[in-house]
Amino acid sequence: MSNIFNNLFSLGLPKDILNSPSLIVEGNKVIKEIPYPGILIEKHEKLQGLFINITVLENIKPKKPIHLCLSKIGAGSQEIFVDILVGKNSKVKFISHCAFKGKNIKHITKTNFKVKQNAYLDIEEIHYHDKDLDILIDTQSKGVVEDYGTYKSLFKIDKNNAGKVNVTYEVDVLNYASIDIETKMAGRDGDDIFVKDIIYLKGKHSKAISKSRIVALGKMRAEFYGETYGIGDYARGHIDCSEIIRCKDVVLKATPVVVVNNPTAKVTHEAAIGSLDKKQIQTLMLKGYDEDEAVEIIVRGLLK
Amino acid sequence: MLKIKNLSYGKDKKILKNINLEIPKNEIFAIIGPNGAGKSTLSSIIMGLIKDNVDGEIIFENKLINNLEIFERARLGMTMAPQSVAEFEGITVSEYLDLSKKYAINNWFSDKEEVLKLVGLNPKKYLNRFVDNTLSGGERKRIELASILFFGPKFVILDEIDSGIDFTSIEDIGKILHILKDKDATILMITHNEKLLDFATKAALLCNGEIIKTGSPKEIKDFFEKCKVCELEDKIKEVNNRE
Ligand SMILES: Nc1ncnc2c1ncn2[C@@H]1O[C@H](COP(=O)(O)OP(=O)(O)OP(=O)(O)O)[C@@H](O)[C@H]1O
Ligand SMILES: [Mg+2]
């Protein structure tokens, strides 16, 4: 066991996961759990994978984030099915530190979430990839944010090879609810990244921001596809995607699609694909940084 | 400190023609000139942002630096606040100031709040803001000045530092120039604002890619006035000729 943890920490996982409320999963097995009052977690290890049911009772507001770490060391599949229900007036943040090491790894997660009235759910998924990692990542999140609710998510892979990555979000946003979805990724030689955000602004005064940043640091392929539907009265949406090329033989694609069928709704978008701004690089070089250092600083900022 | 010998730039059309300049140590040397005169081009060439199609010599502290990269020049102690400064996503003002420290030449300041106050910004309001497009042009410019104070250069080019900074704050700029001078820095100040000439110790007039005149700031100021009139007369002649 301590061997697994040593592996995880050497990949960059913060040590404080050991003494914070958490659920730590290796492959399809729960290896550690520290409960938090008011958050019920049920686990079922089945043939298809691990099923996790998380229920946050009403009015629960932990001050610190709950850790939900999924990792896989060595070849094989990890398949996780998560159901999250955040009860009325609760406010909770989950941090998923996901660490992977080895060849022929599959990491598949399907998450269903429901954010009840006036509740708040924040999910941050930060990946720690080992140097020679060979991985397929398929992460799908689907959910509803009820009246006055908030959903925030950040998905980030920035170290070493990203792998074959497919990240999908599909969210219904009800009255006065708001969501903020961000994906930040850096890819390298051989990586293939696909990000899809589908947002239905169904409620009146519902709000959504879908933002993605993909930096191609090697020969790779990446695509962002975002659809936001402005359906409810005064719904407001914005898609902001930008992709950055650092070398030749890269295929990047960004498609923001905006569908509005309500005259009071408004959805805007901005999309950009290009190389890093020369002016930014020069500004840092004027402070003594060589080009590689300058690029690293700029990319780190973009993916923060 | 900095010498420029027979510098020309341009492929077919010469944007700079046979420029000769000598900027002694601890001088506040102003170059004034109308839009399109070639002022920013000259700054970019001095700092190595432009290297192709440049003839002539750029000598910094008796060393020919024509072939050095931007960062190599910076590490020798030269830097610049460009006319238009870049924005950075995800980098806070506080982090941005820290970036000046890795290759800093002199450690004049180590307190971020202090430098922000010096450039007229309230540290409480700005330290945690991002150096991105949410800052106004003037705010961004002031932060660049703060970052230069943190870098502590031997030689600094300030290209239109007053652009975007309100007129009432010209004194702020004077204050910063004084700090730089007190710290023994040499300053090349690029401007088309005659008011800034009052802070200079020496000046030159750049017109159409040529240094027309070098002298005391007062001489250059008077000459620039006349020059503007000449320009107007030239334009009138041009229009008359066309008709
Ligand atoms: N990349 C370029 N290609 C062609 N012409 C250029 C280029 N860069 C600058 N120029 C031209 O060179 C001339 C000098 O430009 P420069 O920016 O140096 O002027 P400036 O004196 O700094 O003007 P301003 O006061 O407006 O800042 C201008 O006529 C400009 O149009
Ligand atoms: Mg200029």
Side-chain angles (χ1 to χ4, degrees):
Chain A
M1 187 70 75
S2 70
N3 197 11
I4 293 178
F5 279 110
N6 286 342
N7 254 321
L8 299 183
F9 294 139
S10 74
L11 287 170
L13 235 65
K15 290 218 165 83
D16 69 339
I17 54 171
L18 290 184
N19 36 39
S20 312
S22 62
L23 183 73
I24 303 174
V25 178
E26 214 293 319
N28 289 344
K29 277 202 156 39
V30 175
I31 57 170
K32 188 172 171 79
E33 186 181 357
I34 302 177
Y36 185 88
I39 300 181
L40 317 177
I41 300 186
E42 285 174 42
K43 305 137 305 196
H44 303 283
E45 287 173 30
K46 294 187 186 169
L47 218 56
Q48 308 95 299
L50 176 68
F51 288 72
I52 305 174
N53 267 315
I54 302 177
T55 307
V56 180
L57 300 178
E58 294 182 2
N59 300 307
I60 300 294
K61 296 180 179 174
K63 284 205 178 63
K64 288 209 282 181
I66 313 294
H67 290 273
L68 197 63
C69 299
L70 310 177
S71 68
K72 182 82 188 78
I73 308 289
S77 293
Q78 171 174 60
E79 288 174 74
I80 317 268
F81 302 86
V82 187
D83 252 306
I84 304 180
L85 176 81
V86 184
K88 272 190 208 170
N89 304 321
S90 286
K91 178 173 182 174
V92 60
K93 174 171 181 164
F94 292 98
I95 296 189
S96 267
H97 293 286
C98 299
F100 303 99
K101 181 176 181 171
K103 304 263 178 224
N104 265 312
I105 299 178
K106 272 189 191 162
H107 164 74
I108 298 167
T109 57
K110 299 217 167 20
T111 303
N112 266 300
F113 63 87
K114 187 175 249 178
V115 179
K116 301 293 283 181
Q117 276 175 44
N118 199 37
Y120 179 108
L121 170 63
D122 184 342
I123 301 184
E124 215 174 275
E125 178 161 344
I126 314 286
H127 279 231
Y128 297 83
H129 288 186
D130 191 38
K131 262 205 311 300
D132 301 305
L133 180 69
D134 163 24
I135 191 168
L136 181 147
I137 294 171
D138 186 359
T139 296
Q140 298 179 25
S141 304
K142 203 173 162 189
V144 188
V145 185
E146 295 189 350
D147 296 2
Y148 298 95
T150 305
Y151 170 69
K152 279 180 79 163
S153 93
L154 170 68
F155 186 101
K156 182 157 137 179
I157 306 178
D158 61 352
K159 284 178 200 72
N160 298 319
N161 272 86
K164 306 262 175 288
V165 184
N166 183 2
V167 177
T168 305
Y169 290 90
E170 192 180 323
V171 188
D172 287 349
V173 191
L174 306 188
N175 297 328
Y176 296 94
S178 77
I179 70 166
D180 190 335
I181 298 175
E182 258 186 87
T183 37
K184 302 200 160 187
M185 286 191 234
R188 289 168 175 81
D189 284 351
D191 288 343
D192 192 337
I193 297 173
F194 181 63
V195 177
K196 186 162 99 177
D197 289 358
I198 311 286
I199 297 167
Y200 299 99
L201 290 167
K202 291 185 174 167
K204 56 180 184 237
H205 294 278
S206 53
K207 279 196 296 212
I209 293 175
S210 141
K211 178 171 167 181
S212 82
R213 295 287 178 269
I214 303 175
V215 182
L217 296 169
K219 291 178 190 176
M220 55 169 290
R221 225 190 62 87
E223 178 174 355
F224 168 83
Y225 181 87
E227 265 179 22
T228 298
Y229 292 81
I231 303 163
D233 289 349
Y234 303 100
R236 291 287 178 268
H238 184 64
I239 305 175
D240 169 6
C241 47
S242 85
E243 293 172 11
I244 284 164
I245 308 186
R246 281 299 297 166
C247 69
K248 282 186 188 162
D249 300 316
V250 173
V251 185
L252 297 182
K253 205 171 151 186
T255 323
V257 177
V258 167
V259 186
V260 175
N261 63 6
N262 182 322
T264 61
K266 187 172 168 186
V267 180
T268 50
H269 67 84
E270 55 192 303
I273 296 186
S275 56
L276 278 183
D277 184 8
K278 207 165 104 192
K279 212 163 82 185
Q280 292 179 325
I281 296 176
Q282 288 175 342
T283 302
L284 294 174
M285 288 176 91
L286 285 166
K287 302 182 195 304
Y289 294 93
D290 68 28
E291 182 162 345
D292 288 345
E293 292 173 313
V295 167
E296 203 192 306
I297 292 167
I298 299 164
V299 168
R300 218 190 300 138
L302 277 176
L303 298 181
K304 196 157 72 182
Chain B
M1 168 120 299
L2 184 83
K3 262 189 221 148
I4 291 168
K5 285 191 190 161
N6 304 321
L7 184 113
S8 295
Y9 167 69
K11 237 193 209 152
D12 312 319
K13 184 180 161 268
K14 289 276 174 251
I15 292 176
L16 293 174
K17 299 160 209 160
N18 199 35
I19 306 267
N20 285 287
L21 273 181
E22 192 166 341
I23 305 179
K25 189 167 171 350
N26 208 215
E27 201 89 53
I28 301 183
F29 194 105
I31 294 183
I32 193 162
N35 288 131
K39 304 182 298 296
S40 295
T41 307
L42 178 61
S43 324
S44 299
I45 291 173
I46 295 173
M47 284 314 303
L49 279 64
I50 299 177
K51 279 167 68 183
D52 292 343
N53 302 313
V54 176
D55 289 321
E57 294 181 351
I58 309 164
I59 298 159
F60 180 70
E61 292 190 315
N62 301 317
K63 186 177 170 189
L64 185 72
I65 59 165
N66 285 45
N67 292 322
L68 297 189
E69 297 286 333
I70 305 171
F71 72 92
E72 294 171 315
R73 298 183 200 206
R75 289 183 195 178
L76 289 180
M78 315 168 68
T79 195
M80 166 164 87
Q83 182 166 4
S84 76
V85 275
E87 292 153 354
F88 295 90
E89 210 176 298
I91 298 181
T92 63
V93 170
S94 167
E95 290 163 341
Y96 189 71
L97 291 176
D98 286 334
L99 285 176
S100 279
K101 280 297 179 206
K102 180 155 182 198
Y103 296 104
I105 305 299
N106 293 296
N107 191 24
W108 297 336
F109 297 96
S110 46
D111 181 356
K112 291 182 241 185
E113 303 207 356
E114 187 186 357
V115 284
L116 283 180
K117 278 186 203 145
L118 283 175
V119 299
L121 296 176
N122 176 355
K124 295 221 165 36
K125 261 174 75 183
Y126 286 92
L127 271 174
N128 294 318
R129 292 219 15 212
F130 288 101
V131 194
D132 60 9
N133 56 11
T134 61
L135 286 174
S136 78
E139 289 167 335
R140 178 67 190 87
K141 208 90 192 189
R142 285 169 192 264
I143 284 158
E144 201 54 36
L145 286 174
S147 115
I148 279 171
L149 291 177
F150 244 44
F151 185 67
K154 293 183 192 167
F155 170 82
V156 58
I157 304 177
L158 304 173
D159 191 352
E160 313 272 1
I161 30 167
D162 57 316
S163 76
I165 295 186
D166 4 29
F167 248 71
T168 49
S169 313
I170 291 282
E171 283 95 55
D172 280 0
I173 293 171
K175 211 167 66 191
I176 291 159
L177 290 170
H178 275 298
I179 294 170
L180 286 165
K181 194 168 159 51
D182 276 353
K183 303 274 182 196
D184 247 12
T186 307
I187 303 149
L188 173 58
M189 176 170 71
I190 307 280
T191 186
H192 50 239
N193 182 352
E194 291 152 63
K195 278 201 170 155
L196 284 184
L197 281 184
D198 296 341
F199 300 118
T201 51
K202 208 168 175 201
L205 175 63
L206 185 73
C207 249
N208 257 320
E210 284 180 272
I211 298 277
I212 311 267
K213 196 176 168 63
T214 308
S216 75
K218 169 125 187 26
E219 277 174 280
I220 298 299
K221 204 169 172 176
D222 296 343
F223 195 81
F224 186 46
E225 287 293 334
K226 271 190 256 154
C227 185
K228 274 199 269 187
V229 179
C230 303
E231 219 179 304
L232 209 62
E233 281 173 356
D234 283 349
K235 283 220 176 91
I236 294 168
K237 267 189 226 152
E238 209 181 287
V239 174
N240 284 342
N241 286 343
R242 248 184 270 157
E243 281 170 357

